[in-house]
Amino acid sequence: MHVLCAYLRLPYTAETDLPPDDMAARHAYLALREVRHTVIRLIRDRTAVGPEETHVSWRGHDFDFTGVVFDGGDFSGAAFTDGTVHFVDVVFADGRVDFSGTRFSGGTVDYTAAGVLHQRHGLLLQRALLRRPRRRRWSPGSTRPR
């Protein structure tokens, strides 16, 4: 899981920064984007099930998304429990990132300096639940870290 988070932290080139008319660059971008979204789904799937249900649960572990540019992804139904989740300096850019039904409980969630770059699709936070975080420096809707 740490390698997967590290993959998401790799330098990111936005589709709008690609050279125009460079089909090879566009194909590479689309392929890497698919891998990034698959990594996010894998993290979601492994945190959505508890250790009582399967030996492959990643609940209770730390996830470091520091500096990640999310250009979409599906975290819906994930459960980040008893660990630390770092969303420090993340950017939610030009894609839908779905956190609907996601639970953050019993651990630490750090949203320091997180931001939304584009709002074409935005964040979906419907039914997302933050329970008793030990530290939350930023929350959706606030204008600056607390």
Side-chain angles (χ1 to χ4, degrees):
M1 85 191 87
H2 299 296
V3 171
L4 296 176
C5 289
Y7 181 82
L8 293 174
R9 291 191 307 266
L10 289 173
Y12 173 84
T13 301
E15 186 173 18
T16 56
D17 294 336
L18 296 175
D21 304 326
D22 187 342
M23 290 307 291
R26 175 143 172 75
H27 286 219
Y29 164 81
L30 292 173
L32 293 173
R33 186 172 191 253
E34 182 63 29
V35 172
R36 292 170 61 83
H37 291 199
T38 300
V39 166
I40 293 166
R41 281 193 308 273
L42 181 59
I43 292 170
R44 177 209 56 203
D45 292 347
R46 295 294 188 222
T47 60
V49 294
E52 65 282 351
E53 300 168 54
T54 178
H55 68 284
V56 294
S57 175
W58 290 351
R59 287 187 185 174
H61 292 277
D62 297 336
F63 292 87
D64 186 359
F65 299 117
T66 300
V68 171
V69 176
F70 289 101
D71 64 348
D74 184 1
F75 283 106
S76 64
F80 295 97
T81 60
D82 300 321
T84 300
V85 182
H86 296 278
F87 286 104
V88 176
D89 293 323
V90 302
V91 175
F92 296 99
D94 203 28
R96 177 181 163 151
V97 181
D98 188 350
F99 283 95
S100 61
T102 299
R103 291 183 304 125
F104 297 89
S105 64
T108 302
V109 179
D110 191 348
Y111 283 99
T112 304
V116 177
L117 185 60
H118 298 285
Q119 294 188 7
R120 189 175 85 190
H121 300 290
L123 294 171
L124 182 58
L125 298 170
Q126 185 176 1
R127 296 183 322 274
L129 178 63
L130 235 73
R131 283 195 184 155
R132 294 187 315 260
R134 290 190 288 260
R135 174 182 59 192
R136 184 177 69 200
R137 295 186 182 170
W138 180 85
S139 60
S142 69
T143 57
R144 62 183 198 191
R146 295 179 192 185

